[in-house]
């Protein structure tokens, strides 16, 4: 019995991936412009590692994007957030390339996806074309660069993944060249006491260590006097040529007296583990200062697979009377290196120690489920919501409760339940659970209502309350006026906004027929392209209806003329 082409392709992929070799002469560049990066693979982001390269697009949109190799389109997605408009191409060698934040697709793919959008009457769609249905060749135009989804500025998000495991891999491994003759930058060094009674320079808490540049270009830290088990972390970044962006480093090595204690790099990782980034960084420091300290030791709950070597989880056992020389070596993919030597002396603490552990009435054991009654609300943490045990700070209240602060990362969703029985029934539809930001402003949290019980599932610690939204969204025309002639217009746009709970959904019709209006939340804009040719009457009536997250509705009806 003969194997099907799909089976043969699958077996070929397994063989290739088992060799752990990356083809360096197969793929071409995704754009015909100089490759200058705004972001690197493995870069530290909020709750995740960056899964690709962010390629600068000269601060503009609309630059042609090309397939890096022969292949077939296996996935197309249009979303308000995340990658926005994104395209996935599977290649015969077992890899899949990903192109995100696109402005639009090539004419053929654009027609394919727009047909689906009109069939589903939805801007947001996702489709998985049959294998071979949409074939592309190396260098073929597939899209145009943009700024859609969660993008903070025009660029192309580019990935290469394994087609089998879907693990993203560093695109540099495939021979992509980016000019880089600049060493990584080391900004700050920190030492951590990790065992009972361990101390560093008379402290039993995180301690910043000063360092200075030496004549040979390396760095030397001030002597660390310590006892017990300790670890180190740093704030640093990489800088490539022709760009001022602070990018992520490629590898981190920590050794003591010549022995490697920890070594990790960003060759690859899985999406299933990416949230464990919150164990690699000092999340408490990040929550307070918005800077990420990258640890050279492995903390409790850290299940990352990025480690190549690990001894004693990267922690140094410092004994009284002994001296140690530790080295922190940070590299970028091009091999540019910064090296820091850290002299350590095992010395008993001779003076008063400082320890600012915040002990509260509630000690949370991470591996067990935990329930707390806060008066106006109850909170339930499933087992393993957190990475390690800690004293949780809880404040009770009738309407507002505080669940610690955003200095501890939650790996899983936990549940907050408010009793809304004291609020008039007629207001329940407009009520929602809100998290208060630093300015005490309520931010909408998706709220499930069952009778008088309001429930939210979230990973964000902080202060929560019940808020009410009675104001419907606003809608106004943006690039045209009522009864205006739009003969030479290529598109029309409408601004929509909501001041509290946020936009939930919208729909638009032209002369009673549903039309596709592309929503760009960053600009609060809905846009209709006249190429869709729905406006086939001289006098056109546009109707836009917008609903916010608690059901308040607004409708705009306006007209214009067009030949």
């Amino acid at each position: 019995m003969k194997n099907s082409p799909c089976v043969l392709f699958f077996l070929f992929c397994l063989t290739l991936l088992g060799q752990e070799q990356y083809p360096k002469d197969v793929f071409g560049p995704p754009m015909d412009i100089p490759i200058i990066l705004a972001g690197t693979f493995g870069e530290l982001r909020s709750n995740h590692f960056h899964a690709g390269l962010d390629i600068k697009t000269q601060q503009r949109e609309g630059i042609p994007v090309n397939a890096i190799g022969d292949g077939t389109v296996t996935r197309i997605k249009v979303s308000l957030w995340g990658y926005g408009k994104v395209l996935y191409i599977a290649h015969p060698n077992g890899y899949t390339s990903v192109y995100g934040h696109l402005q639009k697709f090539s004419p053929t793919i654009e027609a394919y996806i727009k047909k689906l959008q009109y069939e589903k009457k939805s801007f947001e769609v996702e489709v998985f074309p049959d294998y071979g249905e949409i074939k592309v060749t190396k260098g073929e135009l597939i899209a145009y660069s943009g700024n859609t989804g969660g993008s903070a500025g025009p660029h192309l998000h580019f990935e290469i993944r394994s087609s089998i495991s879907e693990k993203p891999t560093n695109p540099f491994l495939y021979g992509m060249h980016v000019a880089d003759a600049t060493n990584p930058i080391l900004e700050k060094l920190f030492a951590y006491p990790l065992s009972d009674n361990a101390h560093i320079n008379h402290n039993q808490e995180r301690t910043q260590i000063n360092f200075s540049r030496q004549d040979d270009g390396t760095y030397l830290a001030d002597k660390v006097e310590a006892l017990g088990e300790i670890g180190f972390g740093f704030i640093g970044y990489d800088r490539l040529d022709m760009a001022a962006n602070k990018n992520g480093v490629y590898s981190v090595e920590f050794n003591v007296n010549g022995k490697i204690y920890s070594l990790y790099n960003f060759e690859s990782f899985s999406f299933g583990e990416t949230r464990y980034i919150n164990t690699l960084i000092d999340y408490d420091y990040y929550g307070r200062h918005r800077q990420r300290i990258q640890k050279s030791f492995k903390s409790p709950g850290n299940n990352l697979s990025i480690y190549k070597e690990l001894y004693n989880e990267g922690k140094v056992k410092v004994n009284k009377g002994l001296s140690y020389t530790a080295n922190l070596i940070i590299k970028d993919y091009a091999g540019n290196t910064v090296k820091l030597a850290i002299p350590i002396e095992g010395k008993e603490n001779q003076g008063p120690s400082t320890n600012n552990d915040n002990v509260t009435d509630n000690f949370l054991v991470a591996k067990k489920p935990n329930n707390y009654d806060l008066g106006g609300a109850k909170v339930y943490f499933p087992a393993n919501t957190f990475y390690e045990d800690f004293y949780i700070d809880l404040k009770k209240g009738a309407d507002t409760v505080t669940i610690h602060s955003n200095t501890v990362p939650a790996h899983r969703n936990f549940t907050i339940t408010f009793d809304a029985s004291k609020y008039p029934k007629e207001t329940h539809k407009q009520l929602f659970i809100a998290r208060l930001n630093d300015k005490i402003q309520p931010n909408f949290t998706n709220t499930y209502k069952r009778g008088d019980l309001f429930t939210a599932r979230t990973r964000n610690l902080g202060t929560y309350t019940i808020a009410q939204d009675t104001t419907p969204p606003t809608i106004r025309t943006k690039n045209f006026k009522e009864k205006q002639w739009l003969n030479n217009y290529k598109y029309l746009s409408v601004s929509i906004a909501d001041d509290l709970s946020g936009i939930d959904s919208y729909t638009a019709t032209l002369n009673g027929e549903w039309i596709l209006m592309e929503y760009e939340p960053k600009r609060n804009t809905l846009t209709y392209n006249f190429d869709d040719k729905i406006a086939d009457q001289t006098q056109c009536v546009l109707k836009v209806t917008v609903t916010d997250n608690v059901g308040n509705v607004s409708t705009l009806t306006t007209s214009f003329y067009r030949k």
Side-chain angles (χ1 to χ4, degrees), residues 382-400:
N384 300 309
T385 297
F386 301 101
Y387 301 108
E388 54 187 311
D389 305 343
F390 68 104
Y391 284 99
I392 187 167
D393 187 17
L394 302 169
K395 292 182 174 62
K396 298 182 179 182
D399 301 294
T400 302

Side-chain angles (χ1 to χ4, degrees), residues 38-210:
T40 52
F41 183 85
E43 198 165 275
L44 309 182
R45 301 286 178 88
S46 294
N47 300 310
H48 71 285
F49 296 108
H50 191 228
L53 302 179
D54 283 344
I55 303 175
K56 289 176 175 284
T57 55
Q58 302 171 346
Q59 298 182 339
R60 59 191 175 98
E61 301 181 38
I63 294 178
V65 177
N66 308 316
I68 63 169
D70 296 347
T72 180
V73 176
T74 55
R75 184 183 180 190
I76 311 169
K77 186 176 182 180
V78 178
S79 176
L80 296 178
W81 304 108
Y83 291 171
K85 294 184 179 182
V86 58
L87 197 63
Y88 299 74
I89 297 175
H91 305 281
N93 58 3
Y95 297 98
T96 293
S97 53
V98 183
Y99 313 78
H101 304 311
L102 302 170
Q103 180 191 62
K104 60 181 178 180
F105 305 107
S106 67
T108 299
I109 300 174
E110 186 76 10
Y112 179 95
I113 202 69
K114 186 164 285 191
K115 180 176 181 292
L116 181 66
Q117 288 173 314
Y118 270 93
E119 288 175 355
K120 292 184 175 293
K121 293 185 177 181
S122 174
F123 170 62
E124 292 190 282
V125 293
E126 183 175 18
V127 62
F128 299 86
D130 292 337
Y131 195 89
E133 183 180 356
I134 306 176
K135 293 182 179 180
V136 297
T137 58
K138 183 177 181 178
E140 179 182 338
L141 173 71
I142 55 172
Y144 295 89
S145 67
N147 186 30
T148 57
S151 171
H155 72 278
L156 174 69
H157 175 84
F158 172 70
E159 295 179 19
I160 299 180
R161 302 179 182 181
S162 160
S163 295
I164 301 302
S165 68
E166 296 189 353
K167 289 179 64 174
T169 51
N170 196 322
F172 285 157
L173 297 165
Y174 303 86
M176 178 177 288
H177 175 70
V178 176
D180 184 7
T182 306
N183 288 340
I185 307 296
L186 182 62
E187 286 192 336
K188 297 178 182 179
L189 175 69
F190 297 87
Y192 292 80
L194 301 175
S195 61
D196 292 340
N197 300 318
H199 59 80
I200 298 164
N201 294 348
H202 309 297
N203 290 324
Q204 288 184 284
E205 59 187 12
R206 174 183 57 229
T207 302
Q208 185 170 349
I209 309 298
N210 294 324

Side-chain angles (χ1 to χ4, degrees), residues 428-446:
H428 279 202
K429 184 178 180 182
Q430 297 172 325
L431 300 177
F432 62 94
I433 296 176
R435 182 175 182 269
L436 302 182
N437 62 20
D438 293 338
K439 297 180 180 179
I440 321 298
Q441 297 170 328
N443 292 326
F444 177 81
T445 301
N446 199 23

Side-chain angles (χ1 to χ4, degrees), residues 341-354:
I342 310 168
I344 305 170
E345 181 180 349
K347 192 172 182 181
E348 193 78 53
N349 186 7
Q350 300 298 321
S353 63
T354 59

Side-chain angles (χ1 to χ4, degrees), residues 281-337:
I281 67 170
D282 182 336
Y283 196 89
D284 175 81
Y285 189 89
Y286 174 72
R288 299 175 191 276
H289 304 284
R290 311 313 291 175
Q291 286 186 303
R292 295 180 177 92
I293 299 175
Q294 199 164 326
K295 301 173 186 174
S296 63
F297 60 94
K298 198 171 182 181
S299 293
N302 181 336
N303 291 329
L304 291 170
S305 63
I306 60 176
Y307 295 92
K308 305 301 178 183
E309 293 189 50
L310 199 60
Y311 172 76
N312 195 38
E313 297 186 322
K315 303 170 185 177
V316 188
K317 292 182 178 178
V318 180
N319 295 309
K320 183 178 179 180
L322 296 182
S323 297
Y324 310 80
T325 299
N327 289 289
L328 182 66
I329 303 171
I330 305 166
K331 295 182 180 180
D332 60 25
Y333 186 82
N336 302 304
T337 304

Side-chain angles (χ1 to χ4, degrees), residues 191-492:
Y192 292 80
L194 301 175
S195 61
D196 292 340
N197 300 318
H199 59 80
I200 298 164
N201 294 348
H202 309 297
N203 290 324
Q204 288 184 284
E205 59 187 12
R206 174 183 57 229
T207 302
Q208 185 170 349
I209 309 298
N210 294 324
F211 57 88
S212 58
R213 183 182 174 88
Q214 304 300 292
D215 292 339
D216 63 358
T218 63
Y219 291 87
L220 176 64
D222 292 350
K223 181 187 291 185
V224 174
E225 295 181 351
L227 208 64
E229 199 166 55
I230 67 173
F232 290 88
F234 70 93
I235 295 176
Y237 58 89
D238 186 36
R239 182 162 279 167
L240 288 81
D241 299 355
M242 298 183 289
N245 301 76
K246 295 182 178 181
N247 302 123
V249 302
Y250 177 68
S251 73
V252 177
E253 177 186 326
F254 179 72
N255 63 59
V256 182
N257 294 342
K259 180 178 179 61
I260 294 178
Y261 273 52
S262 70
L263 172 62
Y264 61 85
N265 67 27
F266 291 101
E267 174 186 343
S268 180
F269 59 85
S270 70
F271 288 108
E273 66 179 310
T274 188
R275 195 172 179 89
Y276 287 107
I277 184 177
N278 291 329
T279 64
L280 181 69
I281 67 170
D282 182 336
Y283 196 89
D284 175 81
Y285 189 89
Y286 174 72
R288 299 175 191 276
H289 304 284
R290 311 313 291 175
Q291 286 186 303
R292 295 180 177 92
I293 299 175
Q294 199 164 326
K295 301 173 186 174
S296 63
F297 60 94
K298 198 171 182 181
S299 293
N302 181 336
N303 291 329
L304 291 170
S305 63
I306 60 176
Y307 295 92
K308 305 301 178 183
E309 293 189 50
L310 199 60
Y311 172 76
N312 195 38
E313 297 186 322
K315 303 170 185 177
V316 188
K317 292 182 178 178
V318 180
N319 295 309
K320 183 178 179 180
L322 296 182
S323 297
Y324 310 80
T325 299
N327 289 289
L328 182 66
I329 303 171
I330 305 166
K331 295 182 180 180
D332 60 25
Y333 186 82
N336 302 304
T337 304
V338 60
K339 182 177 179 180
L340 170 69
I342 310 168
I344 305 170
E345 181 180 349
K347 192 172 182 181
E348 193 78 53
N349 186 7
Q350 300 298 321
S353 63
T354 59
N355 188 337
N356 292 333
D357 283 347
N358 294 316
V359 177
T360 70
D361 294 334
N362 298 291
F363 185 73
L364 185 146
V365 178
K367 291 185 178 181
K368 295 182 179 180
N370 292 269
N371 278 292
Y372 299 99
D373 189 339
L374 303 181
K378 295 180 180 179
V379 59
Y380 169 66
F381 300 106
N384 300 309
T385 297
F386 301 101
Y387 301 108
E388 54 187 311
D389 305 343
F390 68 104
Y391 284 99
I392 187 167
D393 187 17
L394 302 169
K395 292 182 174 62
K396 298 182 179 182
D399 301 294
T400 302
V401 299
T402 297
I403 308 166
H404 206 77
S405 64
N406 196 30
T407 56
V408 174
H411 191 75
R412 301 176 60 186
N413 282 320
F414 59 90
T415 302
I416 306 169
T417 302
F418 278 85
D419 182 355
S421 59
K422 64 182 177 182
Y423 298 97
K425 297 289 185 182
E426 60 271 19
T427 67
H428 279 202
K429 184 178 180 182
Q430 297 172 325
L431 300 177
F432 62 94
I433 296 176
R435 182 175 182 269
L436 302 182
N437 62 20
D438 293 338
K439 297 180 180 179
I440 321 298
Q441 297 170 328
N443 292 326
F444 177 81
T445 301
N446 199 23
T447 305
Y448 304 90
K449 302 174 183 179
R450 189 175 63 184
D452 292 330
L453 296 181
F454 289 11
T455 301
R457 300 180 71 243
T458 180
R459 289 190 180 106
N460 298 314
L461 298 175
T463 299
Y464 287 85
T465 190
I466 293 288
Q468 184 176 14
D469 183 1
T470 61
T471 306
T474 59
I475 313 172
R476 62 179 180 84
T477 60
K478 190 172 183 180
N479 71 333
F480 69 100
K481 298 179 181 179
E482 172 81 15
K483 296 183 178 180
Q484 182 179 346
W485 284 89
L486 306 180
N487 288 347
N488 297 320
Y489 279 53
K490 293 183 178 179
Y491 66 92
L492 60 83

